[in-house]
Amino acid sequence: MADCFVANVRLDDGFAGGFLIDKGRIAALVTAGAPAPHAKQTIDGHGLLAIPALVDGHMHLDKTLAGGPWLAHQAEPQRMSRIETDKKIWPMLNRSVEQRATALLDWCIGHGTAHVRTHVDVDLEGGLSKLEGVLAAKASRAGEVTVEIVAFPQSGIMRCPGVADLLDRAVQSGADLVGGLDPLEIDRDVKGHLDTVFEIADHRAKGVDIHLHEPGEMGLHSLDQICERTTALGLGGKVTVSHGFCLGSAPPDKQKAMADRMAKAGVGLVTHGGAVWAVPPLELLHEHGVLVFAGNDDVRDTWNPIGNADMLERATMICWRADYRRDTQLRFAFELCSGHGARALGQPVPAIAVGADASFALVEAEHIPAAVAGHPRRELVLHRGRVVGRDGKRVPAAA
Ligand SMILES: [Zn+2]
């Protein structure tokens, strides 16, 4: 007998009926009116829309203040002020990295996110302590959400001798990718910074994810150098640029040329929608073959107090920022937060189909575009066949 039957649900394509779930996967789609199959448990979906699991391609689990008291934002607008402010605030927090990261993961789970890529600060002050905390949080939520970790040199590499060795140790201690950050703006050494990052990735057979806020020609040059190293080392498909704001303000001919260069090299791009900077040309990049996807970035932390870790709300925000209005564009925004993210990160592509992981959420919406427009609460969340969220909140395993 199958494990579970989720009855009375709808799909974006007009299907109405139920999903038979066994061993964490969807075993059958049963059309409304057909005899209900036998299962150990039946869940009434109340006619809600089932949406595929969400993927958050860019978080900072170690920085969050989730689950604790509100802390008024203190840093100045400059990136370096935020970096330095972090170092003053964190020693005064009375909750550990593991506690805070776990609280934010719970927000992700409650919103139907099945997979998270998080950056974790690796610096001279903290060493690998934040990595250890996030690894503990990841382990405590195994079976409810999967997590991959980027060892992130938030304070720079070349300007902080010793960080390169820490990055190398981080990827031998549980980090999955090597991170980087604005090679010229932070480190004033594009070659040194990128050579270090790519050398570790190549030596340890890891991927790369580089925060690139640099504007204009400075950012385009760094992006070009990232593509060059990706091609030279055969790392295509394993390299991501986070943000890539320089692409948003570039003229159309340069946008197209760089899109082709990134697609050919196998360099993807993750966006949170662009903040005050121009949004990268997401549709153009996708049409040129670049793996484009989305993430929440900072959520309730010392860099940004805004956010709740909801990737469906992130899709709404991307539509606002990119001026998406057509159904095709709203669907594209959803894919940035689900299927495209999974493809870029090498994860199973979320789908509600026979054989796929039974990972989905139920929402009150007519179809996917309406769900993106209003980002309704997740009434129920299943992860690999198990109920992990209800009414927008994580359901503890014992409940
Ligand atoms: Zn970030």
Side-chain angles (χ1 to χ4, degrees), residues 307-394:
N308 59 6
D310 181 359
M311 282 305 291
L312 193 53
E313 185 175 306
R314 180 60 53 181
T316 315
M317 289 164 68
I318 288 171
C319 290
W320 277 111
R321 290 283 300 138
D323 198 24
Y324 293 165
R325 297 166 194 248
R326 298 183 183 280
D327 279 6
T328 50
Q329 293 177 311
L330 271 56
R331 288 182 191 284
F332 174 63
F334 182 82
E335 282 300 305
L336 293 175
C337 301
S338 180
H340 291 338
R343 287 181 192 95
L345 303 183
Q347 295 297 310
V349 176
I352 302 175
V354 174
D357 281 349
S359 300
F360 56 85
L362 301 184
V363 297
E364 190 171 346
E366 190 176 340
H367 45 37
I368 296 270
V372 169
H375 55 86
R377 186 175 70 173
R378 294 336 90 79
E379 305 292 337
L380 194 73
V381 178
L382 273 77
H383 184 78
R384 296 179 181 168
R386 187 178 138 200
V387 173
V388 294
R390 187 172 284 122
D391 300 333
K393 291 194 163 54
R394 171 182 177 257

Side-chain angles (χ1 to χ4, degrees), residues 12 16 33 49 61 64 66 101 166 243 262 270 281 298 305 309 311 314-315 324 331 341 357 372-373 389:
D12 182 62
L49 176 76
L61 291 177
T64 192
L166 283 171
H243 305 311
M262 291 171 71
V270 62
D298 298 287
M311 282 305 291
R314 180 60 53 181
Y324 293 165
R331 288 182 191 284
D357 281 349
V372 169

Side-chain angles (χ1 to χ4, degrees), residues 31 40 79 93 102 157 166 186 189 260 266 278-279 332 388:
T31 310
K40 293 173 196 162
R79 196 160 297 110
L93 297 177
T102 304
I157 302 173
L166 283 171
I186 296 291
D189 184 352
D260 283 336
V279 187
F332 174 63
V388 294

Side-chain angles (χ1 to χ4, degrees), residues 58-60 63 119 152 154 211 213 242-243 297-298:
H58 187 121
M59 295 203 95
H60 290 271
K63 291 186 195 292
H119 297 252
F152 177 44
Q154 174 74 83
H211 277 67
H213 311 88
S242 289
H243 305 311
D297 204 356
D298 298 287

Side-chain angles (χ1 to χ4, degrees), residues 66-78:
W70 182 265
L71 188 69
H73 187 73
Q74 297 178 25
E76 299 298 325
Q78 302 79 16

Side-chain angles (χ1 to χ4, degrees), residues 79-217:
R79 196 160 297 110
M80 197 50 81
S81 169
R82 292 173 185 155
I83 293 170
E84 297 305 327
T85 303
D86 276 354
K87 290 174 184 173
K88 284 186 215 144
I89 290 176
W90 283 339
M92 298 191 297
L93 297 177
N94 59 8
R95 296 165 65 239
S96 68
V97 173
E98 179 185 353
Q99 287 171 317
R100 293 183 286 108
T102 304
L104 185 51
L105 277 180
D106 288 354
W107 291 8
C108 296
I109 294 164
H111 287 122
T113 294
H115 183 75
V116 168
R117 172 180 283 184
T118 183
H119 297 252
V120 174
D121 286 9
V122 170
D123 55 31
L124 298 177
E125 291 81 0
L128 302 186
S129 59
K130 298 191 183 78
L131 173 64
E132 289 156 9
V134 171
L135 283 169
K138 170 183 173 175
S140 76
R141 293 298 179 259
E144 301 176 46
V145 62
T146 51
V147 178
E148 62 183 287
I149 298 172
V150 184
F152 177 44
Q154 174 74 83
S155 301
I157 302 173
M158 309 311 285
R159 63 187 285 276
C160 304
V163 166
D165 287 340
L166 283 171
L167 290 173
D168 192 40
R169 278 176 47 206
V171 292
Q172 296 175 76
S173 307
D176 306 286
L177 299 101
V178 188
L181 170 70
D182 296 328
L184 185 57
E185 200 173 71
I186 296 291
D187 263 346
R188 302 276 163 202
D189 184 352
V190 177
K191 185 176 187 312
H193 184 101
L194 293 181
D195 282 352
T196 303
V197 168
F198 277 88
E199 192 179 305
I200 297 169
D202 184 40
H203 186 215
R204 302 294 179 194
K206 301 290 184 184
V208 169
D209 191 329
I210 297 177
H211 277 67
L212 193 61
H213 311 88
E214 293 171 349
E217 285 297 328

